[in-house]
Amino acid sequence: MKILVTGGSGLVGSAMRAVQHEFDELELITPSSQLYNLLDYLDADQMIFEYKPDWVVHLAANVGGLYKNMEQPVRMFEQNMLMNMNVLRACHDNDVKNFVGCLSTCIFPDAVEYPIEESQLHDGAPHESNAAYAHAKRMLQVQCDAYNMKHEHNYNCIIPTNIYGDNDNYNLEDSHVIPGLIHRCYLAKQDGKPFVVRGTGNVLRQFIHAEDLARAIMNLLPVLHQDTVIVADDQTEVTIKSVAEMIADQFDYKQHMTFDDSYSDGQYKKTANSSKLKSMLPEQQFRSLEHGIKQTVKHFITNYDTIRK
């Protein structure tokens, strides 16, 4: 089975390549963004036409942490809307019947009953801190439903919790929480300065290692049928303070950690229910957050000169 992955050089795309040897029946195609600009429909159409995949796994996106969402709402909305619309339309125009797009739990309503389930996706407005990104991502799910209803395609969406792992973006301003904290702690120790965690540290999050998500995606392909599925390890939910402490422990710098509550915390919690995933993949496993952070910090230090930062 031939799988075309957009965003194949990113965090989850590179994780899919890393675990591909476990899935002999799957051939991954990961074209470079230098070859195809997915903001241009003609490029997206040419990409799908040339490779003629059995499945498209759409991971390409303009993503970032809380502060990037707050600083760049127009860019986040427009680029994600364009990429999603172009790729899905190109799939339809080239008779690709199977598609899975990647959303995020941050797109769920701000005022919602927890734990979040797939059916609640459109039950209210998302948190104001990432409203533009959230609405763009929600529309991918709406577009999938429209194609499924009109053309009986098998277009699906997965909704992972906060992703981290090797080949992440460690930019100090644009990154997600774990890579941002790792980079800040590393620099703080290098410079002999306090390790400053933005916000109070009291908000709650769930995390998933990129390779665990990659395995889940590849295991889901044979069983998806016009689905929207939360991919989460709902046994663990931790405060950002706990995550920062795990990271600081890896650098032996915990005693120098401090919090700057002048920064926004964003949404207080996004607790997700993974019952549907468990029913579809009862054998799916997730590594502990402590183990995943240890691996990620080691990779970060070893590859500091070449990582995205």
Side-chain angles (χ1 to χ4, degrees):
M1 189 160 59
K2 188 186 297 185
I3 316 298
L4 188 150
V5 182
T6 71
S9 61
L11 174 59
V12 183
S14 60
M16 289 184 71
R17 295 201 310 274
V19 303
Q20 182 182 3
H21 66 279
E22 302 172 18
F23 300 86
D24 293 337
E25 72 281 11
L26 302 183
E27 175 191 352
L28 291 189
I29 304 165
T30 57
S32 169
S33 59
Q34 303 301 314
L35 293 176
Y36 303 100
N37 175 15
L38 300 183
L39 298 174
D40 183 334
Y41 172 75
L42 293 178
D43 269 21
D45 181 65
Q46 183 66 25
M47 177 184 71
I48 303 296
F49 174 79
E50 286 186 9
Y51 291 108
K52 297 177 173 58
D54 301 299
W55 274 86
V56 169
V57 176
H58 178 42
L59 303 175
N62 184 345
V63 299
L66 170 64
Y67 304 108
K68 181 178 180 181
N69 274 281
M70 294 172 67
E71 292 295 325
Q72 301 181 29
V74 174
R75 186 179 179 88
M76 299 288 276
F77 179 81
E78 292 182 349
Q79 291 197 351
N80 285 297
M81 284 290 293
L82 281 170
M83 277 188 276
N84 295 342
M85 292 183 68
N86 288 341
V87 171
L88 206 55
R89 179 185 161 197
C91 287
H92 170 72
D93 288 350
N94 288 278
D95 202 32
V96 175
K97 302 294 188 183
N98 301 295
F99 170 94
V100 59
C102 190
L103 311 183
S104 167
T105 51
C106 73
I107 74 176
F108 276 95
D110 181 31
V112 68
E113 184 177 340
Y114 293 102
I116 299 165
E117 297 182 354
E118 291 85 353
S119 61
Q120 297 170 290
L121 181 57
H122 301 288
D123 283 356
H127 192 271
E128 62 182 3
S129 63
N130 68 324
Y133 173 81
H135 282 297
K137 282 294 192 178
R138 284 186 185 187
M139 288 305 101
L140 176 58
Q141 195 270 340
V142 171
Q143 190 182 4
C144 285
D145 280 354
Y147 274 114
N148 289 337
M149 179 175 64
K150 182 67 176 177
H151 301 286
E152 298 184 356
H153 290 336
N154 182 30
Y155 289 175
N156 309 269
C157 291
I158 59 163
I159 310 176
T161 52
N162 294 54
I163 313 165
Y164 72 101
D166 298 350
N167 201 39
D168 212 333
N169 172 20
Y170 290 89
N171 183 279
L172 293 172
E173 300 303 324
D174 292 348
S175 64
H176 286 105
V177 60
I178 284 183
L181 288 171
I182 289 173
H183 198 178
R184 289 183 190 283
C185 191
Y186 173 85
L187 292 177
K189 184 170 183 178
Q190 292 286 104
D191 298 338
K193 295 180 178 179
F195 169 35
V196 180
V197 180
R198 293 179 173 181
T200 65
N202 295 326
V203 297
L204 295 163
R205 294 291 182 268
Q206 292 163 289
F207 295 91
I208 182 171
H209 192 278
E211 289 187 3
D212 294 337
L213 175 58
R215 290 186 180 92
I217 293 171
M218 295 160 97
N219 283 319
L220 278 168
L221 296 184
V223 297
L224 285 172
H225 181 67
Q226 300 182 351
D227 287 303
T228 298
V229 185
I230 290 172
V231 183
D233 179 5
D234 59 8
Q235 298 303 306
T236 340
E237 186 175 49
V238 296
T239 64
I240 296 302
K241 179 181 178 181
S242 296
V243 174
E245 288 174 342
M246 293 179 202
I247 290 168
D249 278 340
Q250 294 303 312
F251 288 101
D252 192 23
Y253 212 62
K254 189 173 176 180
Q255 68 275 24
H256 300 286
M257 189 171 69
T258 185
F259 295 86
D260 184 349
D261 61 8
S262 68
Y263 284 91
S264 171
D265 279 332
Q267 194 169 1
Y268 176 67
K269 64 185 295 184
K270 308 173 187 179
T271 315
N273 182 342
S274 64
S275 296
K276 185 173 183 178
L277 176 73
K278 290 176 182 176
S279 70
M280 300 174 80
L281 298 180
E283 303 301 319
Q284 180 67 36
Q285 299 292 316
F286 298 98
R287 71 199 68 193
S288 71
L289 183 57
E290 293 88 346
H291 179 54
I293 284 177
K294 182 177 181 179
Q295 291 177 305
T296 305
V297 170
K298 181 179 179 180
H299 183 270
F300 170 85
I301 294 171
T302 302
N303 297 277
Y304 184 76
D305 291 338
T306 57
I307 59 171
R308 291 185 290 158
K309 57 181 184 294

